[in-house]
Amino acid sequence: MADVLNYGGDGGDEPPHQHANRLQADCQTAPAAKKRGPSRSLHLVKMFQSNGKKPLPIDFDTKEGTYLPTGENQKYLSRVVGTHVRQFVHPYFDRWANVPEEQKARATSCVYEFFDVNPSRYSKADYKLIVDGIEDTAARRYRQYKADVNAYIRDKGTAVPYRGLTTDVWEKCIERSSSQKFKDISMTNKVNREKINYTSLQGSKTIVATRFDMRDPQTQEWPSVIETFKVNHQRNGEWVNERAASDYEKMVEEREEQTQQASSSSVAVNENDVVLKVLGERRGHRRAVGRVLRGTSRSHSSTTRLRDQQSTSESIQATNALKSKMETYMQQMNEFITLLTSILQSVMPGIQLPTPPPPPPLSPTHEEELDSSRDEDYLSDL
């Protein structure tokens, strides 16, 4: 618990500040900043203490498969992880995977101290993915931390260390920012940012948290994915830009077209597929839904999933066509047997012909396999 409540550490190997409710001396005497600094999660600490130092309730999204926090306290989880990342993790590693396990553990342990992440509430598979999701949140906050440090170096130079960093850590940050590898990565990221068509207006709130709050209060049904896109790209009824408005109209039209086609078949319209067709694929993210964790079934290409669903639809259509042919064949066979029986009885009165056996089923358990594939598609969308 000491690591959780002692804010104001220097992010290095020094022990955290001894007084949880006091600012560091440099923070107490510094002039007011022109812009808001990193969160120190002081409000969460007060809530925790008011709750008798018992973990606060928290929910996680298992329905949409993002495994992000939802509910009343969801916004505090990412903030406290970010606070601890800045306090305990050195910002000079290229990737979160390269961060020492001890630093990772100190950065994420706060979640289990502050929040009731109770494994008994979830299946073993879901709980593992929730833990992986917390790790992913820490990785994202670590990337933001490094970006802030690099922006500080770019804008203010290297004479004065970034807040809370020791001299040795600061020197390694400078070394990393001046390397050719870092410059190449920065250029790649810049090019990628220029490809963004529009930004979301959701702020720090995750898409899934927005959708969770938009659920129907009576049925608890989740909102339309397409309408969530509209909410996150409009402000006061105005679209963020014309491209966002155009993409929304395309999704609505595509949904209507697929709905008309689905009315004559057994395949339901999947809005995620509509979004995919109009907006395309983005690695590690389901558009208008949220992140995709590595190692989950959702990390497979959405294009592949769409292709599989189309293949299943084609299989159902082929099976129905085969059924129709079999019915026609059986009708013709019955007519032939009736005719043959009539002829034989006219030649050999009183003859009793054996009842022919029923036709074999379509390929072994073929229909069951199709039903199973439909179930798998349904479960993949939960």
Side-chain angles (χ1 to χ4, degrees):
M1 185 63 68
D3 285 350
V4 176
L5 298 180
N6 287 343
Y7 289 82
D10 61 5
D13 295 327
E14 298 293 329
H17 199 275
Q18 295 179 354
H19 302 287
N21 59 350
R22 289 179 54 192
L23 299 175
Q24 298 179 66
D26 57 346
C27 293
Q28 291 174 333
T29 58
K34 293 184 179 179
K35 69 175 184 177
R36 186 175 181 177
S39 169
R40 291 187 293 142
S41 300
L42 297 182
H43 184 63
L44 176 61
V45 174
K46 292 180 181 179
M47 291 173 58
F48 179 77
Q49 293 173 339
S50 298
N51 197 44
K53 295 186 178 180
K54 297 178 181 179
L56 301 171
I58 190 77
D59 293 312
F60 291 89
D61 163 45
T62 57
K63 179 184 183 300
E64 297 287 349
T66 65
Y67 297 94
L68 285 163
T70 58
E72 182 180 358
N73 296 319
Q74 58 83 21
K75 62 183 177 181
Y76 299 112
L77 189 146
S78 178
R79 294 176 186 176
V80 74
V81 169
T83 298
H84 280 70
V85 163
R86 291 172 182 267
Q87 185 173 356
F88 298 118
V89 184
H90 302 324
Y92 55 72
F93 298 103
D94 288 333
R95 302 170 56 208
W96 177 253
N98 298 337
V99 174
E101 291 300 322
E102 179 184 358
Q103 294 185 30
K104 287 183 181 179
R106 297 183 77 186
T108 57
S109 63
C110 58
V111 174
Y112 307 96
E113 298 284 355
F114 277 124
F115 301 101
D116 183 18
V117 188
N118 190 340
S120 64
R121 297 169 53 201
Y122 306 95
S123 67
K124 289 183 178 180
D126 279 342
Y127 183 73
K128 180 183 181 302
L129 290 170
I130 288 171
V131 173
D132 291 345
I134 293 170
E135 189 83 5
D136 180 76
T137 297
R140 292 170 186 262
R141 297 312 299 260
Y142 182 60
R143 287 199 296 270
Q144 183 59 54
Y145 181 27
K146 291 190 297 180
D148 291 345
V149 172
N150 295 327
Y152 179 92
I153 293 175
R154 181 191 64 231
D155 298 337
K156 299 187 177 181
T158 60
V160 179
Y162 186 81
R163 63 171 70 91
L165 297 185
T166 59
T167 301
D168 59 332
V169 172
W170 180 237
E171 289 177 352
K172 290 182 179 180
C173 291
I174 296 172
E175 180 181 353
R176 176 178 180 272
S177 67
S178 60
S179 68
Q180 187 59 46
K181 179 180 179 180
F182 172 79
K183 293 177 181 178
D184 293 341
I185 293 175
S186 297
M187 181 57 65
T188 300
N189 291 339
K190 180 180 179 181
V191 172
N192 289 337
R193 285 193 296 271
E194 292 173 351
K195 296 179 182 179
I196 298 176
N197 295 320
Y198 38 74
T199 57
S200 174
L201 299 177
Q202 69 196 54
S204 61
K205 192 173 185 178
T206 63
I207 298 175
V208 74
T210 298
R211 300 192 69 226
F212 183 86
D213 292 343
M214 289 172 61
R215 292 175 306 164
D216 186 287
Q218 300 297 328
T219 65
Q220 297 298 300
E221 182 179 354
W222 286 58
S224 159
V225 175
I226 295 174
E227 296 311 309
T228 302
F229 176 89
K230 179 179 180 179
V231 169
N232 286 335
H233 293 85
Q234 277 191 350
R235 178 171 292 165
N236 298 325
E238 297 292 330
W239 286 98
V240 63
N241 61 21
E242 293 183 0
R243 176 62 182 271
S246 174
D247 283 350
Y248 172 76
E249 294 298 330
K250 290 178 182 177
M251 286 188 286
V252 171
E253 292 174 3
E254 178 64 26
R255 179 176 59 188
E256 292 177 352
E257 181 178 343
Q258 291 194 20
T259 300
Q260 292 176 358
Q261 295 175 354
S263 63
S264 59
S265 68
S266 59
V267 181
V269 175
N270 187 324
E271 286 199 351
N272 290 315
D273 296 335
V274 174
V275 173
L276 170 63
K277 184 173 182 179
V278 175
L279 301 184
E281 186 178 6
R282 176 181 166 188
R283 187 182 66 177
H285 184 84
R286 286 173 57 203
R287 296 185 184 276
V289 174
R291 73 180 179 190
V292 174
L293 291 176
R294 293 181 181 180
T296 66
S297 60
R298 296 177 182 274
S299 65
H300 295 297
S301 168
S302 300
T303 304
T304 301
R305 187 170 69 89
L306 177 58
R307 186 167 57 247
D308 290 343
Q309 290 177 338
Q310 290 173 338
S311 176
T312 299
S313 175
E314 292 171 358
S315 298
I316 294 172
Q317 293 175 0
T319 300
N320 291 336
L322 183 58
K323 281 183 177 180
S324 178
K325 289 182 179 180
M326 287 294 293
E327 290 172 357
T328 302
Y329 170 77
M330 288 303 300
Q331 181 179 355
Q332 293 173 347
M333 283 295 297
N334 288 333
E335 292 174 355
F336 175 75
I337 291 173
T338 300
L339 176 62
L340 180 61
T341 301
S342 175
I343 294 173
L344 288 175
Q345 287 180 342
S346 67
V347 177
M348 304 174 64
I351 186 172
Q352 296 293 328
L353 297 177
T355 302
L362 303 178
S363 64
T365 64
H366 185 62
E367 291 183 290
E368 293 181 5
E369 291 174 358
L370 287 174
D371 289 339
S372 175
S373 67
R374 292 192 200 103
D375 291 341
E376 290 175 0
D377 287 339
Y378 172 73
L379 290 175
S380 71
D381 290 325
L382 293 180

